[in-house]
Amino acid sequence: GGGTDPISMMMGQMGGMGGPMGGMMGPMGQMGGPSQAAEPPQFDAIPTGTLVSLQNLKSAPERNGDRGVIRQYISSTKRYMIQIEDSQDTMSVKALNLLQHVGVRIHNITSQTELNGKSGTIMAWSDANQRYNIYVKALAKVISLKVDNCILDKGTVVQIVGTSRDELNGKWGTITEWIRDGDKYNVQLSASQIIRVKMDALRV
């Protein structure tokens, strides 16, 4: 039944945490003045408020699979402060130890064409078969899909992996556009650099 929608449950459980952050943003925005100049946009940082799961933690393996929400990105250490779901705990975590629960649109499925165009949310990643587990609300079920069958939403922050350009691999950037012709994304790495990358060379 529809009562077990994991995304609604996650949003509901984390929703109560949004209040304090919302309250913080107002005064910060009003401080103004020369000493409070607006920071330049960060294209390589996952936005605050993003729902995530912890993964591949070696120092605290019991936390792997725990869900939370990003509260802050600390650029000096390149770590995120994560508020853990259903607790007062926070953790400082590297991006590589996070999986973002972001939206996708299903694309180019040849065996089950009725899935194409449906929206879903990334729930998990399998290293073994290099696939995302996607919760499809319209079907109320989770399906396993290859990376290039999942069009990530504009604004999603992604890591570049496995391109032929070694200097790009490992970098993070923000998707600005999906290019249907060639199944590629435009990814903004900085204020002055946008690159075009194949779908299967990006991870969240």
Side-chain angles (χ1 to χ4, degrees), residues 135-154:
Y135 177 76
V136 184
K137 189 169 184 178
L139 306 177
K141 70 176 184 179
V142 175
I143 60 176
S144 177
L145 294 176
K146 293 189 294 187
V147 174
D148 53 7
N149 292 129
C150 304
I151 302 173
L152 295 162
D153 290 345
K154 180 180 175 181

Side-chain angles (χ1 to χ4, degrees), residues 18 28 46 67 70 84 112 115 172 175 182-183 190 199 204:
M28 286 168 64
I46 303 169
R67 290 193 299 241
I70 291 176
I84 304 300
Q112 301 179 67
L115 293 174
W172 293 79
I175 290 174
D183 280 351
S190 68
M199 292 177 72
V204 299

Side-chain angles (χ1 to χ4, degrees), residues 18-28:
M21 199 64 193
M24 286 168 62
M25 293 304 284
M28 286 168 64

Side-chain angles (χ1 to χ4, degrees), residues 6-7 9-10 13-14 17 51-54 63-69 82-87 101 123:
I7 304 306
M9 287 169 58
M10 286 164 61
Q13 289 164 355
M14 303 305 292
M17 298 180 182
L51 287 166
V52 294
S53 287
L54 305 180
R63 286 293 199 182
N64 287 326
D66 283 4
R67 290 193 299 241
V69 66
I82 309 300
Q83 174 83 51
I84 304 300
E85 181 182 82
D86 294 333
S87 81
H101 297 298
M123 301 301 295

Side-chain angles (χ1 to χ4, degrees), residues 15-79:
M17 298 180 182
M21 199 64 193
M24 286 168 62
M25 293 304 284
M28 286 168 64
Q30 293 162 12
M31 284 179 185
S35 63
Q36 293 291 332
E39 287 190 17
Q42 287 185 295
F43 300 103
D44 60 349
I46 303 169
T48 56
T50 301
L51 287 166
V52 294
S53 287
L54 305 180
Q55 60 180 7
N56 302 322
L57 289 170
K58 294 181 173 59
S59 59
E62 71 280 1
R63 286 293 199 182
N64 287 326
D66 283 4
R67 290 193 299 241
V69 66
I70 291 176
R71 284 298 173 222
Q72 185 183 7
Y73 176 63
I74 303 165
S75 56
S76 58
T77 60
K78 297 191 183 306
R79 284 175 172 262

Side-chain angles (χ1 to χ4, degrees), residues 106-185:
I106 300 173
H107 161 71
N108 202 26
I109 301 281
T110 54
S111 57
Q112 301 179 67
T113 55
E114 69 277 8
L115 293 174
N116 292 323
K118 286 192 164 44
S119 296
T121 303
I122 292 174
M123 301 301 295
W125 165 255
S126 169
D127 267 333
N129 60 18
Q130 298 286 293
R131 287 172 177 250
Y132 289 119
N133 287 346
I134 307 292
Y135 177 76
V136 184
K137 189 169 184 178
L139 306 177
K141 70 176 184 179
V142 175
I143 60 176
S144 177
L145 294 176
K146 293 189 294 187
V147 174
D148 53 7
N149 292 129
C150 304
I151 302 173
L152 295 162
D153 290 345
K154 180 180 175 181
T156 301
V157 174
V158 290
Q159 185 183 35
I160 300 168
V161 298
T163 71
S164 57
R165 296 172 62 186
D166 286 342
E167 73 276 11
L168 293 177
N169 293 328
K171 288 186 179 295
W172 293 79
T174 299
I175 290 174
T176 61
E177 187 180 5
W178 176 63
I179 312 296
R180 179 182 293 274
D181 183 21
D183 280 351
K184 296 184 178 182
Y185 295 102

